[in-house]
Amino acid sequence: MTDERVQRAFREHPDFEEADDGRFETPEKPFPGVVSVTDAEDDGEGTSDAYSVEVRTPMLDAVVEGEEVAEVVEDGWFETLELRLEDAHTVTNADAAPPDVEREGDEVVVTVEFASSDPEQAVEDALAVVEYVEGTWVQGIIPGYDYREPAAGLRERARQNYDEDGSGGPGGSDGPAESGGAPL
């Protein structure tokens, strides 16, 4: 069981909910993160809780609608995603370990671990990891496929953000992928 300060920090954050097993989740995110916390240990420099953030995303073939992604494409896509996620630990203010990125069936499992003595900052660090994984995953979407959720919704949201920020071109374009720009 985590201490009251940690529980309060997660409970008070609008993006987190406490799960039945004592972990904390981001259920409203397209790829929910799950945070496990181990009670503080005194390392001689003060006490720090250990945090483990796990984010599961689908493999490309799991979100492509109506066709099967060739194995060579799927493998290349995963290898590229894995390389892009190497920096996931750098979004934390804590001294985090480089991520563990695993392929488990039709999912990618990303785990980042860090220690922190500041529960409020740890919550922000955990959320930053979840959002980094999501954004990195979205950047890897390959144009030319029809996608189902959550990829379809993420692409649509990216298109809307692209148009709303004024960079959609004259009269607004359908987004970067359709206008010849960088793929989503």
Side-chain angles (χ1 to χ4, degrees), residues 44-179:
E45 297 177 22
T47 58
S48 295
D49 290 311
Y51 296 82
S52 178
V53 183
E54 178 184 280
V55 183
R56 290 180 174 266
T57 71
M59 289 290 295
L60 186 63
D61 190 58
V63 294
V64 167
E65 185 78 47
E67 65 183 294
E68 190 172 314
V69 175
E71 191 171 328
V72 67
V73 174
E74 184 92 329
D75 291 343
W77 176 86
F78 174 74
E79 289 170 8
T80 301
L81 180 65
E82 188 175 31
L83 289 171
R84 289 178 171 177
L85 288 170
E86 284 181 353
D87 292 333
H89 67 294
T90 65
V91 298
T92 68
N93 284 318
D95 186 20
D100 180 32
V101 181
E102 300 282 328
R103 184 174 176 175
E104 291 183 6
D106 64 351
E107 288 186 313
V108 177
V109 182
V110 181
T111 307
V112 175
E113 298 179 346
F114 61 90
S116 178
S117 59
D118 180 348
E120 287 79 20
Q121 185 59 57
V123 170
E124 295 301 329
D125 286 346
L127 182 61
V129 169
V130 172
E131 291 177 342
Y132 183 88
V133 171
E134 176 186 321
T136 302
W137 188 92
V138 169
Q139 289 174 344
I141 292 178
I142 299 174
Y145 291 105
D146 290 326
Y147 290 95
R148 63 179 154 258
E149 293 303 328
L154 290 166
R155 289 185 69 180
E156 181 59 29
R157 189 171 76 201
R159 254 187 229 105
Q160 289 172 351
N161 289 342
Y162 181 78
D163 288 341
E164 288 174 6
D165 76 2
S167 58
S173 73
D174 289 332
E178 286 74 12
S179 65

